[in-house]
Amino acid sequence: MVFDVITENVREEPPWCVLCADDIVLVTERRGQLERKLEEWRVVLESRGMRISRSKTEYFTTDTRGDQQATIRLNGEKLKRVKTFKYLGSMVDETGEMEKEVNFRIQCGWNNWRQVSGVICDRRVPVRVKGKVHKAVVRPALMYGLEAAPLKKIEERKMDVAEMKMLRWMVGVNRTDRIRNKYIRGTVKVVEVSKKIQESRLRWYGHLRRRVGEDHVGREIMEMEVEGVRSRGRPKRRWIDCINGDLGEKNINPEMANNRNTWRRLIHNGDPE
């Protein structure tokens, strides 16, 4: 609350300015605009005894056709340019692709899996208990933030493959045992993580659909029309493209999202019984 009051004269509405405590993201269309905004923030914060860290402050550009040698300076000091940075636990890439974020999610899933491997790899623990531990500890790390990510089918399959390796370790079988993935998932009662990502994506879409007439940044971005012409060749997959594919796969109408209980039932992808 104090930080909001201190920065109220320089803070803009999302997505041009995103704040979470003292983690700040500034977005502009031009390099000069960004330097001016940084200087305004520096003056405001330093007048209150605070300081912008020069070593932690980074920037990137999505303009691959612009001047790649241009730099951003803060009070005369050159800032570090990066291609990827982490914000609130998610990897943001200058190309807009999700490959690095998917790899990072899989890494986080394996990290959580190793922390509970003493339980889920113990032959004395019932298989269903292992499945419950997996769904409570590993799956959230795999899925974090992906309800708003435009995942490709190949990226979803990559996550399913990684999860399947975890499940095989849990039940103590390998590929040479020639046991089908469907049978293993049915044993531990764990549906594909891509199905749960689809469910969370549609849940978030329904939430945005119900925010009619409200000044909500998520709804504004969902309905925002980007100016310009998309480049030649196969266009990049957008989040709304994922949603349209999910709606077609489940054969549901977007208007059904207005009824929360009905929508929740229609989008649910339950674990095997």
Side-chain angles (χ1 to χ4, degrees):
M1 294 173 63
V2 172
F3 201 75
D4 286 347
V5 173
I6 292 175
T7 62
E8 61 182 353
N9 293 328
V10 294
R11 191 175 66 253
E12 297 180 276
E13 294 296 324
W16 304 109
C17 179
V18 182
L19 273 72
C20 182
D22 60 344
D23 291 330
I24 309 167
V25 173
L26 301 178
V27 181
T28 63
E29 296 180 345
R30 299 288 184 271
R31 183 173 63 90
Q33 294 175 349
L34 180 57
E35 290 187 332
R36 286 193 295 271
K37 288 178 68 172
L38 279 170
E39 181 62 20
E40 292 173 358
W41 277 81
R42 184 190 67 81
V43 172
V44 168
L45 294 177
E46 291 185 355
S47 67
R48 301 300 179 95
M50 301 180 182
R51 183 178 184 275
I52 298 178
S53 173
R54 273 57 167 179
S55 60
K56 293 182 180 179
T57 304
E58 303 170 338
Y59 78 96
F60 71 49
T61 175
T62 59
D63 183 13
T64 57
R65 295 174 295 180
D67 184 3
Q68 298 300 308
Q69 302 302 320
T71 60
I72 300 294
R73 295 181 180 273
L74 175 60
N75 195 28
E77 297 184 44
K78 186 185 300 185
L79 298 181
K80 179 182 178 182
R81 177 173 175 175
V82 296
K83 296 183 178 181
T84 306
F85 74 94
K86 184 194 294 187
Y87 187 67
L88 303 183
S90 297
M91 302 298 293
V92 184
D93 190 87
E94 66 177 2
T95 63
E97 298 291 343
M98 298 303 302
E99 181 180 0
K100 290 184 173 63
E101 170 65 3
V102 168
N103 292 337
F104 182 62
R105 287 291 106 224
I106 292 175
Q107 178 186 346
C108 291
W110 275 112
N111 290 341
N112 284 19
W113 186 91
R114 292 186 186 98
Q115 292 178 11
V116 295
S117 60
V119 175
I120 58 180
C121 292
D122 192 334
R123 293 182 179 275
R124 296 170 297 179
V125 178
V127 175
R128 291 196 177 188
V129 174
K130 295 180 180 182
K132 290 180 179 180
V133 173
H134 175 86
K135 289 184 283 189
V137 178
V138 181
R139 181 189 280 174
L142 287 170
M143 295 176 51
Y144 177 80
L146 295 184
E147 66 271 9
L151 295 182
K152 301 175 183 177
K153 293 298 182 182
I154 190 173
E155 293 167 342
E156 293 182 351
R157 287 197 298 270
K158 188 174 183 179
M159 299 197 69
D160 287 339
V161 169
E163 184 188 49
M164 196 66 239
K165 290 181 180 179
M166 300 177 191
L167 299 182
R168 286 182 175 272
W169 272 89
M170 286 166 48
V171 298
V173 300
N174 54 47
R175 298 186 66 88
T176 59
D177 295 322
R178 303 183 66 84
I179 299 177
R180 292 184 176 274
N181 295 345
K182 184 177 181 181
Y183 177 80
I184 295 176
R185 290 190 179 277
T187 302
V188 296
K189 309 300 181 185
V190 175
V191 74
E192 293 91 338
V193 66
S194 60
K195 293 294 184 181
K196 301 307 290 185
I197 292 174
Q198 181 192 64
E199 180 182 331
S200 63
R201 187 164 54 222
L202 289 173
R203 185 188 304 116
W204 178 241
Y205 173 71
H207 173 73
L208 296 180
R209 289 275 305 184
R210 290 189 292 272
R211 301 298 291 261
V212 179
E214 298 184 31
D215 186 18
H216 186 263
V217 61
R219 181 68 186 251
E220 292 178 0
I221 292 177
M222 184 179 71
E223 298 177 345
M224 181 175 61
E225 293 291 338
V226 180
E227 298 180 358
V229 181
R230 303 181 76 176
S231 58
R232 294 182 61 183
R234 185 173 185 176
K236 291 184 178 179
R237 187 171 176 81
R238 302 169 298 181
W239 181 75
I240 196 63
D241 297 329
C242 297
I243 293 296
N244 291 333
D246 296 337
L247 295 175
E249 180 180 332
K250 286 187 166 292
N251 194 25
I252 53 180
N253 193 310
E255 299 298 329
M256 297 177 180
N258 296 328
N259 188 317
R260 180 178 297 175
N261 293 330
T262 301
W263 186 253
R264 187 180 301 169
R265 175 175 53 82
L266 292 173
I267 67 174
H268 181 61
N269 291 325
D271 294 304
E273 295 294 338

